[in-house]
Structure formats: structure tokens, C-alpha cells
Amino acid sequence: MFRQSKIIVACALLFFSSFTVKAGRLEKAFEALTIHDYFTAKASFYKVLKRDSAAAAYGLSVIYSRNNNPFYQLDSALLYAKISVSTYLKCTSEKKKIKYKKFGLDSLSVLGHREAVNSQCFDLAIRLNTVEAYTSFLVKNKGAKEIQQAIINRNRLAYTLAKKINTSEEYLRFMQDYPQAVQFDEVGARYQKRQYEEYTEDEQLKSYLKFMNELPDNFYVAQALKKVYQITTIDKTIVAYENFIHTYPNNPFVPRAWRDIYNKSTQVRTSKNIKNFLTTYPNYPFKEELEEDYRFSNMLFYPIKVNDKWGFVNDALQEVIPPTYTSVSNFYEGAATATLKGKMGFINKKNVKLIAFEYDEVEPFLNGISVVGNQDKYGIINRSGETIVPLIYDLIGETSNKYIAIELDGKYGFIDHKGDLKVGLEYETVGNFKNGIAYVKKDGLFGIIDTNLFYIVKPKYEWIDNLNNNFIRIREGGLYGAINECGDYVITPSYEQLSEIENGFVMAVGKENYTFLRPTGEVVSELSFPFAEGVIDWGLFDEQGIARIVVKGKIGLIDTTGKRVVPALFEDVGFVSSEMIAIKRNGKWGYCDTDIQLKIPYNFTAADRFVGAYAIVKKEKRYGVIDKKGSYLIEPIYEELSWFKDQVLLVKEQGLFGVIKLDKTVVLPIEYQKIEITENQKLLRLHSRKSFEYQPIETLFCDE
């Protein structure tokens, strides 16, 4: 390539040297151009410009297009290139064209030079990279091969600038100036959006109404309609929704407002609440949905599992929700939690998604609200899916109270149902409100606050029990006592141990003795005994008013008056039932009557209380059932036995469960992993190794 270029240059020099003998002005101009004598060439070309326009203009354009001389000027190069092309193609005679060939000029070279100048102009526009530069190129260089690329570049730059300025006026100007731009539609969309944003920048209701009135065809009118709904119902009250429906009857969110009224009125979705709603709102437009909800509210659904997927059946054990979920809960307040693709949400009994599947954890609805969590952060939503409390807390307590306990970064406080922090995160731990009070811990000590968030008792206790009743156990100075809900002492802190109230009595344990107290703190003097190890675990009164005592290592029974029901003669004593008492001697159990007369010999390794006329006993490592004579109704052949219902027993053998009657009739074969009764006591849930099934209880025991 280098050699070829040298040959071309040599030929050109030889060509132009052949004219030196008979050189005219044009010839002298080209000769000067050849040897880069631009001053002479320029002057000579201008002198012959009128006579030899095509050739002289060509020469001048060449001079102005070269950047190795002081005359470099692309606008002039372009001007003379245009003159050269125009005059050569339109005004130059064939005779002159023959003459010009001596200088290497023909239509191809003239047009080629024009293209070269166009390219130089385009390169300059690229270097400048402005809308003005590309626009100038497009105006001055019509017909250039770079025209389309220049348009593309210009439009792209203009679009970038319009986005940077980002006003509706600027976007409108772009559309007017560049109607054929590929960005036209996108700019149009931005134009409408900015119109909407500029009208409603203050986010006031009047601005949205003005926008819709003045620009009814704008795409964002739909957004404005939604904002009108949101603004007018911002407090999310039933009254606000009613006012919206009345004021804006043509707004497309009116149906939603009606449904929001329904959801607010029936957060707890019961048939009674649905019926009351219809009475209050007889014009509710979706009565068919209401009737369906009413019908479903009275239906009981039960979870089923098929091929590791969960669904539901009804009372008739018909499938009502196909098994498509990874997990489900029971239905509470008309909604069940469900897991789909690793995320949890809520469905209703029509298998309609109530709350999107977007949470890692959800709790069943309680009074129309649910605690939900994502990435170990928790918040609260309502049945409408609205976030009441944002998901920012590490722990959220019971939501049924006026104030809700929360934890954040190891500190505890309380929020209200709007999510507002009512007690700052100043505690080491807090309890849920019970009966209008809650415990709090600060500086290592416990106190109690009320629902006004004032202290009933400032933190002073080393430990505090639950607050479920008016007898609250506390520890102070290393000793146990009890206070009431007002913080007054019921029992002064003076005991080593103190039990909860159990069947009307409280056991108070000292260092050497233990005694029974009334819940008021009154000491029952006749119920005071020497301390025995572990007495607080085994020595409390049962529902029959009977308690164990130990005397010189032997166990007996007393009643609430202190009377010895069974003298302390035995290694152990069961409780009185059906005038029979289980007693233990020499490591074996038998039964005596209330006169302490042995009725059934010491034949058993364990003996339960009598239920009616029968008791479950253990012989070696197996269980059976005896009557009051000690005769076996069921031989001790089972791993476990327990009462299922009257005359019916739950049995376990080789790790599996079944159900039999006292007459040994098999109700359910011993082949289930677990047997449960459903919450409504209507069905049995029978678990096999990989799934479970239901059976109606009344069908199983229909002959009773």
C-alpha cells in the first residue's frame, strides 16, 4: 500500500509538470496546489473562478479542507465543493470537461471531494457533539451519506437534554421539533407524566381535581383519580369512605370504597357481623358476594395434605380448596395462612388471595389484624392488606391490647395500633398487657405500668410473674410474695417459694415448713406442715380438694380442712376417685377404699385413678384396664393406654396408635402415627406416615 501511494504521488507530479511549458492561470493554480504553495494557488484559483468555476471552486475547496495551511475553513470548503459540483454537472461544457481531465477532474472526483468534505463536517459535528452542531450539519450538508446518522445523534442528544431539563415545556418542544424521532412516543409519555407532576406538585386535592378538569385526556388522569380516593380516605375510616362515595360517585374507586367499608365493618368475618353490615348498608352493591361470604362463614374447613401439598375439605370431607400450598393454617376470622413458592400470605374460603404471598412469616388474624415478618423484621397488617405497623421491629407482642409490646435492637417499648411509639425503647424487657397492666424491666428490676402508661409500681422487683389475675407473684430481696393489680402487697415477700393459685389455695414454702394460704394472703393455720423436698411440685390441692403430705418419709392425703383422708402410711398415694384410692407399697401399686381397706392387691407398677368403674394400670411395661374388683377387662398388652372418651381408649402398640372400646371392639386399627380430635370435636384427624385423613366421630361411635 505504501509503495502504491508513492507511485500515485509520482504520477501526479509528472502529470502536473507536463503543463509547466504551456502554463495558463488555471494550470499555475493547480501546479501551486501540487507543491503546497497555498498562497499562490488560492490567489490563482480566485482569478479564474468566474471563467473556470467548476475547476477553480474545486481547487479552493481542496485548500480550505486541508488543515496543513492557514486557510483551513470547513464552511468555505463546503461552499466551494457545492459550487464545484453544481457548476460541473450543470454548467460545464464538454470541451472544458475534457480540459479539466488534465487536472484529474471529472464527475467522480468532484462528487468524491464533496463527500469527503461532508465527512469532515460530520467528523467535526461528532467532535462538538451538540444539537446545534448536528443541526448545522443537516442544514448545510443536504444529501450527505451521514445524514441519517446525524439525525440519530442529534435526536439522541436532544432527548438527553430534554430529560435533564425534565419539564413538560421542554418535552413538548422536542415533539414539535423532532416529530419523526424514534424517541417521540417515549417523550410523549414523559410529557404527560410531567404535566401530571407539575400540576400536582403540592399533592393537594384541589390540584388533582384541576389537573383532571383541564387535561381530561392525559394518561395520568387514572392516577389522579386514585390519589383523590387516597387523599379523601387517608384516615381510612368508614365515615371517610362514605363521604368519598357521596362526593365522587363517578370515580372508578367507588367500588373499592364500598369494599373497604365492608372490610372495615367486618374485620372479624363472622355470619353475625356480615348480617349486621347488610342491615346497616342495604344499598351495598355487591350483595351476591355478601351472601356468599355469609354462607362460607358458617362452613367449617379442615386442612388436608396430599403429595406434600395442602388444601382443605369441608364437614362432608369433600375437597373445597385443592392441595396446592406448601403449608396452611386453620381458618380464623374467615382467613387462613398459606405458603406458596416459599412466601406466606392469606386466602379466604373461596380460595381467593386476600393478602399477597410476600412474607416470610404470618400469624393468623386476631380481631382483624395480623403480625407479619420479612427477614426477621416484623410489622402489622389488617385484613385489607394495609400496613398498620411497618416491618421494622425484632419482636411484636400480643395485638389484642390497646398498646402492643415491641422490641428493636434489644430494647423494648409499646406502640399503639397506628404504629406510633407510645413508650420509648427504654426497657430491657416488657410483658403484654393483661387486665390493663403490663410489667416492664429497667436496670435489672421489674415494675408495672397501666394503660395510661404510668407506673403502678416503679421497677423494684427481682422477678415478676404473669399478670393474668389479681394475684401476682413477685420476688424482692431474694424472697417471694404477691401483690394485687394496684401494686399492694397481698403476701409480703417472706417465703423461699410460692405457688400459683391452685384450686383455691397458694402454697408458701419456708425454710423448715410449708403452709397453705388463701389468695387474699390469709394463712390457713391447720394446713401447715414440715418442709419436704419438691413439695411445691407434688403437694398442691387438686380439683377435689385433696393434697399429698409426707410424714416421716411416708405419703398420705389431706383435705382442705387438714383432715387426713389417707394416713401417711404409703410410699406414694394417688388421688381419690370413685371411692377408690391408688396406693403404693414395696414398689407396687394397688387400691384401697376411703376407709383405707385394701380392695385391689399391690400388683401393678403404675395405677391411674378410676374413671367411673374402670382404671388404667401398668403391669411391668404394659398397660391394661381393670374394674373395681381388680379384674382385667383389657389385658396389659399395650405400650400406652389413655381415655379417649367414655368407654373408649386410645391405644399405642409398636409405635402406632388406634382406638378400641372397653369390650375390645376395634374402632380404629392400630396403624396411625397420631390421632387427634378437631377443634370442633366433630372429626378425627388420622395421621399416617406421609399424610393424614379425617373421619367423622359420630360415624365411628354411631352405635353408642
Side-chain angles (χ1 to χ4, degrees), residues 302-313 317 328 330 672-676 678 683-695:
Y302 306 92
I304 57 166
K305 186 179 183 183
V306 180
N307 297 327
D308 290 327
K309 296 293 184 181
W310 292 79
F312 290 88
V313 294
L317 302 182
V328 296
N330 288 317
Y672 299 101
Q673 301 287 320
K674 184 166 61 173
I675 297 175
E676 301 172 303
T678 57
L683 300 176
L684 287 183
R685 188 181 292 116
L686 309 174
H687 294 260
S688 58
R689 190 171 298 277
K690 292 186 177 181
S691 63
F692 62 87
E693 60 181 291
Y694 292 95
Q695 286 201 27

Side-chain angles (χ1 to χ4, degrees), residues 54-125:
Y58 172 83
L60 288 170
S61 181
V62 169
I63 293 170
Y64 285 121
S65 68
R66 292 180 179 177
N67 60 6
N68 62 349
N69 69 82
F71 307 115
Y72 174 68
Q73 222 294 326
L74 275 181
D75 280 346
S76 296
L78 179 61
L79 171 64
Y80 287 109
K82 291 179 180 178
I83 293 172
S84 176
V85 170
S86 177
T87 55
Y88 186 89
L89 296 179
K90 296 180 180 179
C91 306
T92 303
S93 66
E94 290 301 322
K95 182 178 179 181
K96 280 193 175 185
K97 287 180 181 179
I98 293 171
K99 173 185 175 182
Y100 292 160
K101 281 187 178 181
K102 297 176 182 180
F103 309 114
L105 291 184
D106 57 20
S107 60
L108 291 178
S109 60
V110 170
L111 291 171
H113 177 69
R114 167 68 188 275
E115 286 187 5
V117 173
N118 284 341
S119 295
Q120 284 183 281
C121 292
F122 185 61
D123 290 341
L124 176 62

Side-chain angles (χ1 to χ4, degrees), residues 272-500:
K272 180 181 178 181
N273 287 344
I274 294 171
K275 188 175 181 180
N276 290 340
F277 173 81
L278 189 57
T279 301
T280 306
Y281 297 97
N283 295 324
Y284 184 66
F286 309 109
K287 289 182 180 176
E288 290 184 3
E289 295 177 12
L290 211 64
E291 292 170 0
E292 190 173 33
D293 283 350
Y294 183 85
R295 180 168 55 87
F296 274 110
S297 69
N298 291 311
M299 294 182 180
L300 292 174
F301 283 14
Y302 306 92
I304 57 166
K305 186 179 183 183
V306 180
N307 297 327
D308 290 327
K309 296 293 184 181
W310 292 79
F312 290 88
V313 294
N314 60 15
D315 274 338
L317 302 182
Q318 298 167 325
E319 183 183 284
V320 287
I321 295 179
T324 56
Y325 301 102
T326 308
S327 69
V328 296
S329 72
N330 288 317
F331 274 91
Y332 296 95
E333 300 181 3
T337 70
T339 305
L340 196 63
K341 296 181 180 178
K343 288 291 186 178
M344 300 187 73
F346 287 87
I347 58 172
N348 64 15
K349 290 182 178 179
K350 293 180 279 189
N351 197 23
V352 173
K353 178 179 66 179
L354 286 179
I355 307 295
F357 295 93
E358 58 184 34
Y359 299 104
D360 295 335
E361 301 175 61
V362 296
E363 292 182 4
F365 280 110
L366 177 63
N367 297 324
I369 60 177
S370 167
V371 176
V372 298
N374 265 333
Q375 298 180 348
D376 295 324
K377 292 293 183 180
Y378 299 90
I380 298 174
I381 62 172
N382 64 16
R383 188 185 174 88
S384 302
E386 299 165 338
T387 299
I388 299 173
V389 177
L391 280 70
I392 60 174
Y393 295 107
D394 299 321
L395 183 68
I396 294 181
E398 293 179 8
T399 59
S400 57
N401 302 298
K402 179 180 179 181
Y403 298 116
I404 303 167
I406 50 92
E407 177 196 358
L408 182 63
D409 298 331
K411 293 294 184 180
Y412 294 79
F414 291 91
I415 58 174
D416 62 18
H417 279 253
K418 293 181 180 179
D420 296 329
L421 194 64
K422 308 305 290 187
V423 175
L425 297 165
E426 58 184 271
Y427 295 113
E428 294 156 25
T429 188
V430 299
N432 294 305
F433 273 92
K434 301 289 184 183
N435 302 312
I437 57 177
Y439 69 75
V440 295
K441 184 180 182 183
K442 192 170 186 178
D443 299 326
L445 296 174
F446 290 89
I448 298 176
I449 61 173
D450 61 18
T451 52
N452 294 315
L453 305 175
F454 297 136
Y455 279 117
I456 292 175
V457 180
K458 290 185 177 180
K460 58 184 280 190
Y461 304 120
E462 298 153 8
W463 172 82
I464 195 165
D465 197 9
N466 67 68
L467 311 178
N468 287 334
N469 50 46
N470 205 25
F471 183 86
I472 304 165
R473 295 182 296 165
I474 52 92
R475 186 175 70 231
E476 189 177 6
L479 297 174
Y480 290 87
I483 60 174
N484 62 23
E485 59 188 10
C486 297
D488 302 321
Y489 285 112
V490 177
I491 300 172
T492 57
S494 54
Y495 295 100
E496 300 290 323
Q497 298 180 70
L498 193 69
S499 77
E500 295 185 51

Side-chain angles (χ1 to χ4, degrees), residues 4-25:
Q4 183 179 8
S5 298
K6 290 179 69 175
I7 293 171
I8 292 172
V9 171
C11 290
L13 290 172
L14 180 63
F15 171 80
F16 284 113
S17 67
S18 65
F19 289 90
T20 57
V21 178
K22 300 189 320 184
R25 286 181 177 175

Side-chain angles (χ1 to χ4, degrees), residues 131-132 154-179 181 183-184 186-195 198:
V131 172
E132 292 75 17
R154 178 203 61 187
N155 293 353
R156 186 186 299 126
L157 268 178
Y159 179 48
T160 300
L161 288 173
K163 286 194 296 181
K164 185 176 181 179
I165 297 171
N166 197 33
T167 64
S168 61
E169 182 181 5
E170 191 64 25
Y171 289 129
L172 178 60
R173 182 179 296 112
F174 180 95
M175 291 188 293
Q176 291 171 340
D177 290 346
Y178 313 116
Q183 297 89 352
F184 185 87
E186 187 171 347
V187 170
R190 287 178 175 272
Y191 170 63
Q192 293 202 33
K193 183 179 181 182
R194 283 303 292 149
Q195 281 185 312
E198 289 163 0

